[in-house]
Each structure stands twice: as structure tokens, then as C-alpha cells.
Amino acid sequence: MSAFASPFRNTYRYLQRQAHESPVIFYSVVIGAIGPVMAVVVPPIRESMGYKRAEMIPSTYPIPNRPRRPTVGYEDP
């Protein structure tokens, strides 16, 4: 059974040593690995708590339902 746990124990020791010797790199990698996981996990949790997405912002100006009037008085001479 110890042969099965040996790689995990060695990995834990390596990560513990890296966290002690170069914490900036270690924690940068940890935070970078959490990002993609959060992108998959957080949206379902938010929906289960009742979060509703905001309505999309219009990307075009609505065209009025009337004939267009030409502008008067601003033409170039």
C-alpha cells in the first residue's frame, strides 16, 4: 500500500518545498490553476442562488417607424 501512496507523498513534499523556497512562483501557479476551474464551477452556483443575467445592451439604434425628413439649413454652399 505504501508503494501506491509514495508518488503522492513525494509530490506533496515537492510542493511544500517550493512554497517555502519560492512562494511567488508557487502561489502564482496555484492562482493560475484555480482560474479555469472557477470558469466552469462558478456560473452554475450563481444560477442556483437565483442570479439572473442582465439584459443585453442594444448594439444598434432603433429606426423610427415613420418617413425620414431631410435636414434643412445645414447644407454646404
Side-chain angles (χ1 to χ4, degrees), residues 2-3 11 13-14 18-21 23-24 31 33-35 41 47-49 53 57-58 64 66-67 69-70 73:
S2 66
T11 303
R13 285 182 185 165
Y14 172 75
Q18 287 302 107
H20 181 73
E21 292 179 2
V24 174
I31 291 171
I34 289 173
V41 172
E47 290 175 5
S48 69
M49 292 183 168
R53 294 189 69 150
I57 298 173
R66 59 177 168 75
R69 297 181 304 245

Side-chain angles (χ1 to χ4, degrees), residues 15-61:
L15 292 175
Q16 192 174 25
R17 188 178 79 234
Q18 287 302 107
H20 181 73
E21 292 179 2
S22 54
V24 174
I25 296 171
F26 174 77
Y27 287 110
S28 297
V29 170
V30 169
I31 291 171
I34 289 173
V37 173
M38 287 181 65
V40 174
V41 172
V42 170
I45 293 172
R46 289 171 72 182
E47 290 175 5
S48 69
M49 292 183 168
Y51 175 78
K52 295 185 177 107
R53 294 189 69 150
E55 190 174 316
M56 293 293 290
I57 298 173
S59 59
T60 60
Y61 187 78

Side-chain angles (χ1 to χ4, degrees), residues 1-13:
M1 188 66 175
S2 66
F4 174 74
S6 180
F8 298 107
R9 189 178 314 131
N10 291 338
T11 303
Y12 177 75
R13 285 182 185 165

